[in-house]
Structure formats: C-alpha cells, structure tokens
Amino acid sequence: MITVELEEIFEAYYSARENKRQRADAIAFEMEYEKRLIELYEELASGVYEISPSTAFIVNRPVKREIFAGAFRDRIVHHWVFNRLNPLCERVFIHDSYSCREGKGTSFGVRRAEHFVRSVSRNYSRDAWVLRLDISGYFMAIDRQVLFEKIETLLKKYTSICGFDRDFFLDIVRKIVFNDPTIKCRIRGKREDWVGLPKSKSLFFAKPGCGLPIGNLTSQLFANLYLNDFDHFVKRTFPKTRYGRYVDDLLFVSDDKDAFQEIPEILNAYLMQNLGLHMHPLKQYLQHISKGGDFLGKYILPYRKYLRNTTKQSVRDRLQKKRENDEDENYIELAQTWNSYRGLFDACNAYRIREKMFSEFCIDRVCEFRRKEVCHI
C-alpha cells in the first residue's frame, strides 16, 4: 500500500494556492516551490512531519470570529488530507448537509430550503412552519478524541477502497486533529481585538481536548463528519420532517407545528449524550412560512427572497474599502469586487439595492475606466 506520492503533494499545493497567490506566505513558498514540496514530501513519507505554529487573528464580518491560519506548508498538507478523506466522507454524508461540499454551498442550501417550503406547503397553498436551531459554540466544543474515532471508523469501513496505507494516513490525521494551535501561536493585530468575543467562541478558553481552529480546510471537513451520525439520527427519528444543515445551523420544515415542540429537546439530549454538544437556548426560531425565514444569508419569503441586512452591509463595507481613493489600481479592484457580488444580487430579489449601490459607488464610472484599460491593453 502506498503511503504518500509526490504527485499528490503537488496537486494539494495547486489547490492550496488557488486564490491565495498574492499572500506573502504563498509568494515566499512559490519562490522555490519544487524544492519545498519535495522536502515536505520527504518529511511526510519518513514520518517526521511536524505542524508549524499558527497565526491567530480576529475578523468582524459577517460576525466576529477567531481565526487560526496555519502555515502555508501545513495548508498544503490539509488539502492533501482533504483530497484523500473527502471521497470517503461523501459516501456517508446525507444529501442535505451543505458545508464544504462541491456543488453544495450556501446557494444550494437556500434553494433546498425553498424547495422544502414549497413541497411541504404544496406551493404555499397549505400551512407549514419553519424551525431553525443552532448548536452552541460548535467548533470550540468538538471533542477531538470522539472526532478521531469517527475518522478511524470511516477508514476501517472503506479499507478495501482506500488505495493507501490507512495506518500511515491516520498518523498524519492524528497530528492535525490533536494539534493545539494556541501553543506558540503568533497574534496578528492587537489583543484588544478579542474584546467582545464570547469565551465560547475562542480556542483560548476551550475545554482541554476540545475545539477545532476555524480557518483550516480540514476543520470544515471534520466538523461536517462530526455531525454525520447526528444527521442520520434526525432523518430516522423525524422522517416526515424536511431537514437540512449548514455546519451548526439546522433547518426543519413541517406541516405539523406540534411536532416541533419535541424536536429541540430530543436533539439536545442526543447531542449531550453522544457528542458533548448542546443547542443554543436563545437561537430557536419557529415561524409560519408566511412570515419568512432567515437562512444562510437570505431571508426567504413566499415566491421571493432577499439579502439579509448584515449581508448587504458586508457588501457595502467591502466596496467602500476598495473605493478609499481614486488611484487607478483601486478602480480595477473595485470593478473586480463588484463583479464578484453580481451573482449574489442576481440570485435573489435585490434589484433596488443593486441599483442603489451601483449609483452610490459610481460603478458606471468604474466600468468605463475598465473598458478604457482593456482597449489600451
């Protein structure tokens, strides 16, 4: 059985650098990337690979979060692990888990939510209710030992089709799962940036043996796998209720309002007993479909959907940042940023807000400048 192939490491490198090539650590690695990749390959193959210290910082949009960014060479290993493990995970995931899956992002989740509502209500001709739940401090409460056992069980189940040395691969996964990124981490920004961040959302205050760093590709995959058995439990226990999940955001749609009275209690009991998690007591929303529902950045109403206010503000802030001055380079970046959000506007009823921002940020002037640049080139 193979342990690791150099071709895999190169493939992981190309994935890791996608949309990241302008960052300092990616540029530094790329200067001698072939030599560095061979060194990384030899470290993995010989079993001496060790994880480098992470960089911790705070982001404020769309909500305040603590991010731990691994060193670039470690992110290559994360992509390598993901490329091996994800095909096996896809065999066991339910159809309606939407995080970190190809073709199943937030847009897919919103479309499925609309489908659930239309299907249960027979195109809004019958009563139906939407229940939204949230798992409290999810990433920081994940038990690493329980997670590793789930990965180990998955690999044992599909040993015959793995095509690689399972024990060798598990050793690398073990290093990633049990790595504590708070040790010797570098702080980017000021310590005051952490003011206002709840302790339940920080790895610095996580229980021993618990917590995954937000920011790593493997953390997203592991977080999805951690709740996979829970997903199947929900589907078995409530077969007549439509269910979807994006990380720790749970969505239920049913025409039986009384059935929703017992769901939170049953799910909370399962989470506490099996995963050491619990539902957020203040984030439980039950609404009739006529009142709409907030899910994955969209507010869904009968026959239409709108951008969430926080999403609109996030777009405006990004555009404002790009328009801080009138230099030519900022015009180009502003045009690129605007184009990246066009799909977001087009996917919902956002004509008015789109036109308002178009006028507010002088996008027509930007587009004209961009056309001149193209003609000049």
Side-chain angles (χ1 to χ4, degrees):
M1 298 291 285
I2 64 170
T3 53
V4 57
E5 294 184 346
L6 184 59
E7 182 181 353
E8 291 181 296
I9 302 303
F10 272 82
E11 181 181 352
Y13 164 68
Y14 294 132
S15 298
R17 77 175 188 179
E18 188 173 351
N19 300 322
K20 309 288 186 182
R21 298 186 70 177
Q22 302 303 317
R23 297 191 177 183
D25 54 352
I27 293 174
F29 192 95
E30 192 168 3
M31 295 296 290
E32 294 182 297
Y33 77 95
E34 290 182 338
K35 175 184 176 181
R36 295 176 186 273
L37 289 176
I38 292 174
E39 291 175 350
L40 180 58
Y41 160 76
E42 291 175 346
E43 288 181 24
L44 288 168
S46 61
V48 300
Y49 165 76
E50 295 295 336
I51 298 175
S52 304
S54 300
T55 301
F57 57 95
I58 294 292
V59 297
N60 293 293
R61 292 289 181 181
V63 296
K64 193 163 191 173
R65 286 195 181 99
E66 176 187 78
I67 304 296
F68 280 86
F72 187 75
R73 69 195 308 271
D74 293 329
R75 296 205 294 273
I76 295 173
V77 177
H78 295 164
H79 278 265
W80 172 69
V81 169
F82 180 90
N83 292 341
R84 281 192 169 188
L85 191 60
N86 187 56
L88 304 182
C89 291
E90 286 292 333
R91 289 174 171 265
V92 298
F93 286 163
I94 65 170
H95 182 69
D96 286 294
S97 62
Y98 313 124
S99 172
C100 196
R101 301 179 67 185
E102 185 175 357
K104 291 189 175 182
T106 55
S107 296
F108 179 82
V110 170
R111 290 197 300 272
R112 288 294 291 173
E114 288 183 296
H115 170 72
F116 290 165
V117 173
R118 284 177 176 268
S119 176
V120 172
S121 67
R122 296 187 182 180
N123 205 25
Y124 301 105
S125 64
R126 296 174 53 180
D127 286 333
W129 285 263
V130 176
L131 174 66
R132 286 182 51 241
L133 302 174
D134 185 273
I135 298 175
S136 182
Y138 178 49
F139 271 89
M140 308 309 151
I142 291 176
D143 188 309
R144 296 172 189 164
Q145 182 61 44
V146 174
L147 169 63
F148 183 76
E149 290 173 0
K150 289 181 177 293
I151 298 172
E152 191 174 27
T153 300
L154 177 69
L155 289 173
K156 287 181 179 179
K157 181 178 181 180
Y158 293 108
T159 298
S160 60
I161 64 171
C162 282
F164 53 78
D165 188 316
R166 187 190 68 197
D167 293 334
F168 167 82
F169 183 67
L170 272 173
D171 284 339
I172 304 298
V173 171
R174 182 183 289 105
K175 290 181 179 180
I176 296 174
V177 170
F178 291 103
N179 175 60
D180 186 350
T182 63
I183 298 177
K184 297 182 180 180
C185 71
R186 294 182 291 268
I187 303 295
R188 194 171 79 194
K190 302 176 181 178
R191 293 189 179 273
E192 290 75 16
D193 294 341
W194 270 257
V195 174
L197 182 74
K199 291 184 178 181
S200 62
K201 295 183 179 296
S202 174
L203 274 179
F204 292 105
F205 298 97
K207 294 180 180 179
C210 292
L212 292 180
I214 297 176
N216 291 344
L217 177 63
T218 48
S219 295
Q220 299 176 49
L221 180 62
F222 294 161
N224 215 3
L225 180 62
Y226 195 73
L227 285 177
N228 180 61
D229 291 335
F230 170 78
D231 291 336
H232 287 280
F233 170 78
V234 174
K235 300 285 282 186
R236 291 193 307 269
T237 309
F238 308 103
K240 296 182 180 180
T241 300
R242 301 299 181 95
Y243 166 71
R245 177 180 63 83
Y246 186 90
V247 192
D248 58 349
D249 291 331
L250 316 180
L251 177 74
F252 301 84
V253 182
S254 175
D255 58 359
D256 184 2
K257 185 178 180 181
D258 294 335
F260 283 150
Q261 304 303 318
E262 61 178 359
I263 286 180
E265 184 178 350
I266 293 175
L267 298 188
N268 198 52
Y270 178 94
L271 289 172
M272 294 182 67
Q273 181 177 353
N274 296 279
L275 300 173
L277 305 172
H278 64 274
M279 291 294 179
H280 198 297
L282 302 180
K283 293 184 178 180
Q284 300 184 11
Y285 308 99
L286 176 60
Q287 289 181 302
H288 190 272
I289 57 171
S290 62
K291 303 296 184 181
D294 186 353
F295 189 57
L296 303 183
K298 303 289 195 312
Y299 200 81
I300 304 170
L301 287 161
Y303 305 108
R304 63 199 187 279
K305 56 182 179 289
Y306 300 105
L307 287 176
R308 184 194 292 168
N309 288 335
T310 54
T311 305
K312 290 186 285 188
Q313 187 59 48
S314 178
V315 173
R316 179 174 278 106
D317 290 345
R318 285 287 303 276
L319 292 172
Q320 181 62 44
K321 186 176 180 180
K322 298 298 182 182
R323 201 194 61 172
E324 288 178 349
N325 55 59
D326 291 333
E327 294 180 4
D328 292 352
E329 183 179 350
N330 288 80
Y331 273 124
I332 296 173
E333 292 182 0
L334 181 57
Q336 293 172 341
T337 302
W338 173 259
N339 288 333
S340 70
Y341 283 120
R342 283 295 302 274
L344 183 65
F345 290 124
D346 294 343
C348 57
N349 301 82
Y351 176 80
R352 291 184 179 179
I353 186 64
R354 185 187 68 185
E355 292 302 303
K356 182 178 180 180
M357 287 189 185
F358 191 91
S359 174
E360 178 182 351
F361 294 98
C362 305
I363 303 299
D364 52 346
R365 180 183 173 190
V366 172
C367 293
E368 179 63 28
F369 172 83
R370 188 62 176 153
R371 281 194 295 271
K372 289 180 180 179
E373 280 290 303
V374 172
C375 292
H376 177 70
I377 293 172

